[in-house]
Amino acid sequence: MFHTAANIPAATAARTAKSVPVKSAPANSVPARNESARLRLFCFHHAGGSAWSFSGWGQWLGRGVEVVPVSMPPRSVHAAGAPGVVSTMDDLVREVTSQLTPFLDEPYAFYGHSMGALVSYGVAQRHIAAGRRPPAALVAGAHRAPHVQAAPDLTVGLSDRASLELMLGLGGAGRLLRENPERMRDVVARLRDDLRICATYRHPEGGRRPLPCPVHVLLGRHDPLVPAADAEAWRLHTSARFSFRTLPGGHFFNREHKDLFFAELGRILGSVENRTV
């Protein structure tokens, strides 16, 4: 069974994830909890991805964790001002925070992969700054610390096929994309938009107050995009416990070695669950 919130509105969770059951509900209603779960895990996808990225996670993590994929609003730097479309990282974080706030009143944790790590960090900072409950833990996968300068957009100047081959090389796309040109174009366009959004992020010169919750960082040992030192620099962003772990694989180690990844994520969340009981 895929454990997810029973009636989180589509604007908030899994708008594009067809495998996740989402009942209709008012946009500001509080969803019914999975009574067997002690912790909600809100999951933020990578650049070019969608809430579909987290399909099946509930089966791996068990009934104690309720997996809630976060579907982000449409993103494009070329459509600034268009209704419902965000064009900067600040806009994206503000919109996602607004949508999630009604559902963060009970024990919860964040997992963000690649771009999702940066978004989840921004949401946590904004939520806490408003005097609200912090996450029980933030788990960042495959992303440098927020204050470390961003890498250049790797898809600049690349054709759609070259961009797709880059994604395939990173483990971020499968044979279906290669064999489906229309889907390929959609994914590449989304990837480019997301990377441009990420490039608008500016860490405050004075820094931000460290998060009061534990921060756990996971990184593929052979990730070509994120040096280990840049990922370990997340330790500056928590006043609580910090851990850094490398796992076999590249940028999408969470797909390449699922057994090892979910064992580590389960261990992290298990310690969180024990503290929230």
Side-chain angles (χ1 to χ4, degrees):
M1 178 180 178
F2 191 94
H3 303 299
T4 186
N7 62 348
I8 288 183
T12 301
R15 183 188 293 126
T16 59
K18 297 179 181 178
S19 68
V20 182
V22 180
K23 300 179 182 178
S24 61
N28 60 353
S29 67
V30 177
R33 282 194 58 84
N34 172 358
E35 294 300 331
S36 63
R38 295 188 296 274
L39 181 73
R40 273 183 174 162
L41 179 66
F42 290 85
C43 298
F44 300 73
H45 64 74
H46 60 87
S50 70
W52 177 263
S53 304
F54 306 103
S55 176
W57 277 40
Q59 296 174 345
W60 285 91
L61 293 173
R63 296 183 62 82
V65 177
E66 186 177 17
V67 176
V68 185
V70 176
S71 185
M72 302 182 201
R75 306 166 296 283
S76 175
V77 296
H78 299 302
V85 178
V86 297
S87 57
T88 69
M89 180 58 70
D90 282 347
D91 290 342
L92 176 57
V93 167
R94 181 171 59 251
E95 179 64 22
V96 173
T97 304
S98 175
Q99 291 181 3
L100 289 184
T101 291
F103 314 114
L104 303 180
D105 57 345
E106 296 189 40
Y108 70 94
F110 285 164
Y111 176 83
H113 195 88
S114 196
M115 176 188 79
L118 188 60
V119 177
S120 64
Y121 168 76
V123 172
Q125 282 284 1
R126 192 174 185 88
H127 193 70
I128 293 167
R132 301 187 179 101
R133 180 180 193 142
L138 184 147
V139 186
H143 202 281
R144 66 192 180 280
H147 68 281
V148 177
Q149 185 173 1
D153 180 350
L154 299 180
T155 67
V156 170
L158 295 183
S159 66
D160 284 356
R161 180 158 294 280
S163 296
L164 177 62
E165 291 301 326
L166 171 65
M167 291 181 67
L168 289 168
L170 294 175
R175 187 180 65 183
L176 179 61
L177 291 182
R178 193 195 298 272
E179 296 175 349
N180 187 328
E182 182 176 353
R183 188 173 180 187
M184 178 190 81
R185 286 191 294 270
D186 290 343
V187 170
V188 169
R190 192 163 65 239
L191 171 66
R192 286 177 166 158
D193 279 337
D194 282 347
L195 291 177
R196 292 183 182 115
I197 292 292
C198 289
T200 68
Y201 177 79
R202 297 292 182 271
H203 197 67
E205 290 186 8
R208 284 198 169 105
R209 181 174 297 181
L211 297 173
C213 64
V215 170
H216 303 275
V217 178
L218 303 176
L219 180 70
R221 203 163 292 148
H222 303 293
D223 190 328
L225 301 183
V226 185
D230 289 356
E232 194 168 7
W234 275 94
R235 69 170 61 252
L236 299 178
H237 295 276
T238 178
S239 59
R241 183 186 172 201
F242 174 81
S243 72
F244 172 66
R245 175 84 185 274
T246 59
L247 298 173
H251 195 64
F252 290 93
F253 60 88
N254 57 322
R255 297 177 180 176
E256 298 172 60
H257 300 278
K258 289 186 177 181
D259 52 344
L260 295 177
F261 167 71
F262 283 109
E264 182 63 21
L265 183 59
R267 183 190 65 77
I268 291 170
L269 298 179
S271 64
V272 172
E273 287 180 61
N274 291 336
R275 290 197 300 271
T276 59
V277 173

